Amino acid sequence: MKYLDEYRNPEAAAYIGRKIKELAAYQKRSIRIMEVCGSHTMAIARYGIRSLLPENVELISGPGCPVCVTEPGYIDAAIKLAQKGIFIASFGDMLNVPGSKLSLAECRARGAYVETCYSPMRAVEIAEQNPDCEVLFLAVGFETTIAPVITTLNIAVNKKIKNFSMLTAFKLIPPAMKALLSDPEIKIDAFLCPAHVSAIIGAKAYEPFIKENKVPCVIASFEPVEIMLGLLGILQQLRDKEARIENQYARVVKYAGNPKARGIIDLYLRPVDAAWRGLGIISESGMELKPEYKKYDASKRFGIEIKKGKTDSKCRCGDVLKGKITPQECALFSRNCKPANPVGPCMVSAEGSCAAYYKYCKK
Amino acid sequence: MCLAIPMKVKELYEDGFGTVETDGAVYHVNLSLTENVKCGDFVIVHAGFAIEKLNKKEADTRIALFKEMAEMGGGKLKLES
């Protein structure tokens, strides 16, 4: 299946572009559509989707990057543990995120054991190969990542691995969407919903939110033509004064999602209030390990508290994450804050808004 | 982080793992989050785990939709990075 060619049909893209212009003109007002997925942020920037849209259709990037919404205090806690000699395994884009003082990369440069992993399974391998060493995985992610990480934990539990734990900062997308919608300064008319989070939670997970808030939502893949088709779907709902979940990624996303993934998540985790960088505390928007698994919870195992931490006073990642400003509206963007020396996480992460704008939209 | 891509299943092992390939590169992944996966199926892989099986029928329907839209005519819009 040469999926790239078929999904990038240029004639179909032209047709969709025309239809978007027609429906946008019908609206006669500005439409603000938020996406809450870093992969959408990147694809929209990379393919210049904004430049193809009529002026009254505005695409806002929301808090779609789990690394970007992690408080600096989490990095500080990880660094404290690294400085005690604990082996830290992490997804790569956490390494250069500044904590209150240092990043994990700087901590590694000073002699700490910090290794990047593509998969959390690597952390379990390290723990098995080094039984005398405490190994900790930095478990940061949304629903798409929570499932693989917890499946990994399940493997570690079944193998009775005694030297493995996780410092969790799991976050959930639907509660964040609700919090964003309730902020009167942000003004969102519709959501483009994340592809692979939706694969886990299912299209039905958005229904209570839509019933309460009457906001059109479309699940779309990261292919540029499909993003445009997703936007068209939103404009069609707005024209028809509808508000429902439209699943435009049915080849992967099922109505009920992935029950195996949700089952294993429910086995190990329970909902908890969580602090989101830039958004504050959102009720039941995080997940923590249940008390019976506390020996795998690094915060309890090592008695460490995750505090808020400090950010640079000029950093505006919080406003970028809420879609209140674009990255270019931050005074530090592309001046003091660049990928090589980032001030905030939105410039560091592979899916951060500022990184996307820096790479594709700087001029 | 969530930019998972479809990969073709090559081999399935008894322990819930298997190998998948894309563009000639082969990866060892965990398939325990999926069901009824056979060799030759496509799965979506994220962080070393297959998180869902691709529904080929839905994929074909989608491609047919794009072909239909293309036939409605009116030019080309090449989306390249």
Side-chain angles (χ1 to χ4, degrees):
Chain A
M1 179 187 301
K2 278 176 68 62
Y3 71 97
L4 278 181
D5 290 349
E6 280 106 343
Y7 290 102
R8 293 186 188 177
N9 187 317
E11 286 94 355
Y15 171 81
I16 299 164
R18 267 207 332 277
K19 284 291 176 198
I20 286 176
K21 286 193 165 71
E22 279 172 28
L23 288 185
Y26 180 87
Q27 284 298 325
K28 296 185 176 52
R29 63 177 178 103
S30 93
I31 309 291
R32 284 166 59 86
I33 301 169
M34 179 178 269
E35 47 80 5
V36 285
C37 173
S39 299
H40 275 145
T41 309
M42 272 292 164
I44 287 164
R46 182 176 175 191
Y47 295 101
I49 304 271
R50 286 188 176 88
S51 65
L52 303 169
L53 301 175
E55 268 189 35
N56 65 325
V57 177
E58 211 183 322
L59 278 185
I60 319 160
S61 289
C65 157
V67 167
C68 303
V69 295
T70 301
E71 293 278 23
Y74 178 89
I75 306 282
D76 298 342
I79 287 173
K80 250 196 198 140
L81 293 167
Q83 287 167 340
K84 285 183 197 228
I86 294 164
F87 196 110
I88 308 289
S90 171
F91 291 124
D93 45 1
M94 288 299 290
L95 251 67
N96 289 312
V97 176
S100 302
K101 291 191 183 134
L102 291 178
S103 67
L104 281 159
E106 285 163 337
C107 184
R108 180 171 64 180
R110 291 168 195 214
Y113 296 119
V114 181
E115 180 164 323
T116 59
C117 322
Y118 162 68
S119 169
M121 282 303 303
R122 176 68 189 132
V124 169
E125 275 165 34
I126 295 169
E128 276 185 299
Q129 288 160 7
N130 300 277
D132 297 330
C133 187
E134 282 287 338
V135 177
L136 183 161
F137 183 71
L138 298 186
V140 175
F142 296 139
E143 291 91 333
T144 329
T145 305
I146 297 175
V149 172
I150 290 302
T151 307
T152 301
L153 176 62
N154 190 50
I155 290 171
V157 168
N158 289 339
K159 285 187 171 190
K160 295 185 172 34
I161 293 172
K162 293 189 174 18
N163 56 326
F164 177 75
S165 61
M166 318 188 150
L167 193 68
T168 59
F170 293 134
K171 294 190 170 61
L172 305 172
I173 287 289
M177 288 167 68
K178 186 175 167 179
L180 288 160
L181 209 54
S182 65
D183 185 333
E185 282 189 47
I186 305 176
K187 198 182 160 305
I188 301 165
D189 295 304
F191 282 98
L192 193 68
C193 295
H196 296 128
V197 164
S198 302
I200 302 296
I201 65 177
K204 74 173 184 180
Y206 299 99
E207 283 176 346
F209 163 78
I210 293 171
K211 192 173 172 188
E212 197 185 319
N213 298 284
K214 316 253 185 293
V215 169
C217 292
V218 174
I219 300 166
S221 85
F222 312 124
E223 278 298 309
V225 178
E226 293 206 285
I227 291 172
M228 288 181 68
L229 199 50
L231 299 175
L232 181 61
I234 285 170
L235 289 169
Q236 284 166 340
Q237 285 195 44
L238 287 170
R239 176 199 60 196
D240 301 338
K241 296 191 176 23
E242 286 181 335
R244 56 186 169 81
I245 182 68
E246 185 187 348
N247 180 7
Q248 287 195 11
Y249 193 35
R251 62 189 184 274
V252 172
V253 177
K254 301 196 201 83
Y255 178 68
N258 183 328
K260 271 184 141 182
R262 287 205 315 287
I264 200 158
I265 290 171
D266 289 343
L267 181 61
Y268 281 91
L269 300 173
R270 62 182 184 184
V272 72
D273 294 349
W276 292 58
R277 183 176 182 140
L279 280 76
I281 300 199
I282 302 178
S283 167
E284 301 215 323
S285 65
M287 298 214 92
E288 65 175 8
L289 283 163
K290 289 179 175 172
E292 55 265 43
Y293 300 109
K294 68 176 183 194
K295 67 179 176 193
Y296 299 102
D297 182 338
S299 65
K300 297 186 172 54
R301 188 182 178 99
F302 303 112
I304 195 150
E305 193 195 338
I306 298 176
K307 295 180 186 155
K308 198 175 149 87
K310 292 195 191 87
T311 54
D312 187 301
S313 57
K314 294 195 195 70
C315 174
R316 297 196 67 192
C317 278
D319 287 336
V320 170
L321 287 163
K322 278 191 277 202
K324 283 191 175 173
I325 62 165
T326 62
Q328 289 133 331
E329 289 172 309
C330 171
L332 300 179
F333 176 79
S334 193
R335 297 183 184 90
N336 303 52
C337 186
K338 297 181 187 184
N341 48 320
V343 175
C346 296
M347 185 59 84
V348 176
S349 169
E351 299 202 325
S353 289
C354 299
Y357 270 74
Y358 187 89
K359 195 166 177 181
Y360 300 114
C361 318
K362 218 170 16 160
K363 298 184 187 103
Chain B
M1 232 190 237
C2 298
L3 188 61
I5 56 168
M7 300 200 190
K8 193 172 184 175
V9 178
K10 267 183 69 120
E11 293 165 288
L12 294 165
Y13 307 138
E14 300 240 329
D15 60 356
F17 285 81
T19 57
V20 294
E21 66 171 345
T22 182
D23 278 342
V26 178
Y27 302 90
H28 183 239
V29 301
N30 182 301
L31 291 143
S32 62
L33 291 169
T34 55
E35 275 182 325
N36 304 319
V37 169
K38 299 180 304 296
C39 293
D41 283 343
F42 282 81
V43 288
I44 302 292
V45 176
H46 172 62
F49 285 75
I51 59 164
E52 196 47 270
K53 185 170 91 170
L54 198 88
N55 182 321
K56 179 97 177 33
K57 198 165 148 221
E58 289 284 353
D60 290 341
T61 305
R62 197 79 175 153
I63 289 166
L65 175 67
F66 288 134
K67 287 199 171 115
E68 202 183 301
M69 288 181 169
E71 277 151 24
M72 305 232 187
K76 280 186 193 205
L77 188 57
K78 278 201 116 175
L79 285 157
E80 278 159 23
S81 54

